[in-house]
Amino acid sequence: MHLLIYGCILGILLGGVYGLMASGLALVWGIMRVLNIAQAVCVILGSYLAFTAFTVLHVDPMLAVLPISVVMFVFGVGIYYAFLRPIRRDRESLSILVTYAIAIGIEGALGLIYTTSLQHTGTSYATQSFEVGGFQIPTVELYAFLISVAILGLLALMLQRTRLGRALRAATQNPTAARLLGVDIDRVSAVGFGIGISTAAAAGAVYGMIYSFNPNSHYDLIGILLAIVVLGGFGSMRGAIVAALILGVIASVVFIYWPLWANLSFFGVVVVVLLFRPQGLWGVPNWATQ
Amino acid sequence: MRSHRFAWAIIGILAVAGSACSSSSTSTTGSKSPVVVGISLSLTGDFSDSGKTEQQGYQLWQSVQNAKGGMLGRQIQLKIVDDASSPDTAVSNYQNLITRDKVDLVFGPFSTLLTAPSALVAARYGYAFPDPADGAPKTLNEHLQNFFLMQPAGPLDTGLTWTRYILSLPADQRPKSVAYISLDDPFLVPAVALDRTAFTAAGIKNVYDNIYPTENVQMTPLVAAIAAAQPDMVVAGTMEADSFDMVKAMVTEKFNPKYLFFMNGASDSANFPTNVGKQNIEGIFSALGWYPEEKTPGNAEFVAEYIKKYGGDASQISADTAEAYTIGQVITEVVEKVGAIDNAKIIQQLHSSYWPSIQGSLAWDADGKPVGTLLLVEWIGGKLEVVYPATDATHAPVVPKPNWP
């Protein structure tokens, strides 16, 4: 029972970070109907930026999260105007190819700059832990979880309380009606994509303290992020966060008892849920949007 | 106009990606036609880390040997093509190198996944297939006469030096219990099984035994489960990233087994300390076939030339680089003895005797499996020391493992 509870705690901590990564993916799909395959490589890009900030500028990755988020927001807006805005037709399918090309391009650039050697942002607290009720709580994973919760909280506040947030939500729920009501969909899409990329990079800054990474690490990550978004319901940020927590707990618990089956259980849960709710936990069924 | 800009932007992205995926043919000078060596390497994709370090070894051998006059008085030219870590592409590459480019020799790629089908292609055309980093049952079970793993021992033997050391200890000093954990890998799982058989026969109690997947591994819960079993010793069938993350999780969990052995990863003197923290490496054991200070034929020259060409220091040289260099070194000696680029005779010579190399004297059984043993190494005083067998030891083993700082 002790290990089972511990697995749940670790799963929630890690699920929070995955939730931050996947929330941007869900937001971008909701607003633009763009499946951003480059979301995972932007996580790794964020890990490299934090690694550079730490090793070259001696800035703690936790403090680097804010400037990295800002820089990556601008980067995301730039990607939108350069590569996604020109897609006028078949956006859902063409965007997969375009964002895959972007992912490969970023991977290639990271390989040239940093080489393909594994890196790790080795802060003084990267391997520290403290005991609570007989459980060793990894300090860095707790910090990562708290930062993820803080960013997601700010994002939720922005979506609920600001004019931009209302525009983003309107664009997510019904882009045509939003446009008729005067929402500048182009601008909102650019901002939404920028936010999506910046959340990925923010999560990447803390991811690099937990795991060793290299430019190829995004291939493993994108499968997890897509599974989370599918389970949560495409376009639903709330669904993505809940799905990340659920899958994080399941994977952690299975890793304790049957590690070889952990990934299968992770994707197995997605398949089983989709059998009963094809639209995912918080998704809107197709008939409701037609 | 806008669509043109978009097209150029896509081309720009692919150009950046392509720069990491390019093939290369290193040109040579000289009046005689060069000896062309065809190699498929994983310069991109999952195995690109090792692929690039092997490329360094091949290219270093080429420059060192060409400075000495090449092979049979002919300069050496490498034709290296990228297989993107894909077995299908590797097979296609060797097919093209042999039939279209008509290279004189072929050297092997990285990983079992690529080597086994590639060696079959080379065998079909009668080419010798010296390989830097394979030897899993899948390849050896093909019983190929042309395959030679250029390491002192086969990968399945990675843990044998550890069992020999542990079982050489007096019975009252041996660990009483052991946990086995392994990556789901075609040679690590059977390698761990060999250790399990030996330790079980010696009466060391098995308290944990599991395999973990190759992707998306969460080490903290995995290590928590191992720690709960309270083993004296952990035998870990690891590669690179997983060994790094496992050490960090052990430190976080404050789980400090008395004896800790990693099959791979911990022997990487360049990347292991930087990834797990220099303060966390003391007392960790691993196995390797080569180390920079080894007193073997040509090793001092290899280390000096490596530093001259690539910079850094000896501790940053990867074993993958040494293994690739070994292939060039051994094949040069064989070709000089044969007196011609004749693959049939090269294969015959490689099977006939021991060949000196920077990894020591190498010899193979009929399937190309090396007949030697690996060295047991331990991190002592921030440095990787050879601790077993005693004849090669640079330091006495430090056991039990010191506590994490």
Side-chain angles (χ1 to χ4, degrees), chain A residues 54-207:
Chain A
F54 179 70
T55 53
V56 178
L57 306 173
H58 307 294
V59 176
D60 191 284
M62 297 293 179
L63 297 175
V65 165
L66 184 61
I68 285 172
S69 300
V70 173
V71 168
M72 289 299 287
F73 172 81
V74 175
F75 180 67
V77 171
I79 283 180
Y80 171 79
Y81 280 114
F83 300 113
L84 298 173
R85 188 166 173 258
I87 304 174
R88 295 298 184 192
R89 60 186 174 81
D90 298 332
R91 179 176 267 190
E92 290 183 18
S93 50
L94 281 178
S95 67
I96 294 175
L97 294 175
V98 171
T99 55
Y100 183 63
I102 292 168
I104 299 292
I106 293 173
E107 179 194 336
L110 289 174
L112 287 175
I113 297 167
Y114 293 98
T115 77
T116 53
S117 293
L118 287 161
Q119 303 290 357
H120 171 242
T121 313
T123 59
S124 58
Y125 52 87
T127 51
Q128 283 181 0
S129 60
F130 58 92
E131 192 177 323
V132 177
F135 300 106
Q136 288 293 336
I137 307 297
T139 307
V140 75
E141 291 180 28
L142 179 67
Y143 286 174
F145 176 79
L146 293 176
I147 281 199
S148 300
V149 169
I151 293 172
L152 288 170
L154 286 173
L155 200 54
L157 267 179
M158 188 273 284
L159 287 171
Q160 295 294 331
R161 302 285 172 86
T162 67
R163 189 180 171 82
L164 175 65
R166 283 192 286 273
L168 281 166
R169 283 191 293 137
T172 304
Q173 286 163 11
N174 194 328
T176 308
R179 185 178 285 114
L180 289 172
L181 289 170
V183 174
D184 183 346
I185 293 293
D186 205 28
R187 184 172 149 269
V188 165
S189 295
V191 171
F193 196 79
I195 291 172
I197 296 293
S198 69
T199 56
V206 292
Y207 177 87

Side-chain angles (χ1 to χ4, degrees), chain A residues 6 14 83 88 101 104-105 112 116-120 127 129 138 141 211-212 216 220 224 251-252 255-256 259-260 263, chain B residues 2 6 9 13 16-17 19 45 48-49 210-211 213 215-218 220-222 224-225 241 245 248 252-254 275:
Chain A
Y6 189 42
L14 199 61
F83 300 113
R88 295 298 184 192
I104 299 292
L112 287 175
T116 53
S117 293
L118 287 161
Q119 303 290 357
H120 171 242
T127 51
S129 60
E141 291 180 28
Y211 295 106
S212 293
N216 300 325
D220 287 354
I224 295 177
S252 283
F255 251 109
I256 285 178
L260 194 55
N263 288 338
Chain B
R2 178 174 291 157
F6 180 59
I13 286 179
V16 172
S19 64
S48 58
D49 202 13
N210 239 321
I211 298 170
E215 293 168 344
N216 310 323
V217 183
Q218 293 183 35
T220 313
L222 190 64
D245 290 340
K248 287 181 281 186
T252 304
E253 281 295 307
K254 298 184 170 38
N275 273 272

Side-chain angles (χ1 to χ4, degrees), chain B residues 293-367:
Chain B
E293 294 79 20
E294 201 167 2
K295 304 281 187 284
T296 47
N299 195 40
E301 179 188 33
F302 164 67
V303 172
E305 291 292 336
Y306 177 96
I307 294 169
K308 191 172 150 191
K309 189 176 176 78
Y310 301 118
D313 58 54
S315 69
Q316 293 171 309
I317 304 175
S318 163
D320 291 331
T321 307
E323 286 154 8
Y325 185 93
T326 301
I327 290 183
Q329 183 190 21
V330 169
I331 294 299
T332 303
E333 289 164 25
V334 176
V335 166
E336 294 292 345
K337 183 170 181 184
V338 169
I341 307 289
D342 182 331
N343 274 280
K345 288 182 180 172
I346 292 170
I347 292 168
Q348 186 187 27
Q349 281 294 322
L350 284 168
H351 276 300
S352 67
S353 66
Y354 279 84
W355 292 93
S357 80
I358 60 171
Q359 297 185 86
S361 288
L362 303 182
W364 301 268
D365 67 12
D367 297 331

Side-chain angles (χ1 to χ4, degrees), chain B residues 17 73 92 130 169 171 183 191 214 262 270 275 291 334 371:
Chain B
S92 171
L169 297 172
L183 181 72
T214 52
F262 289 95
N275 273 272
Y291 64 103
V334 176
V371 296

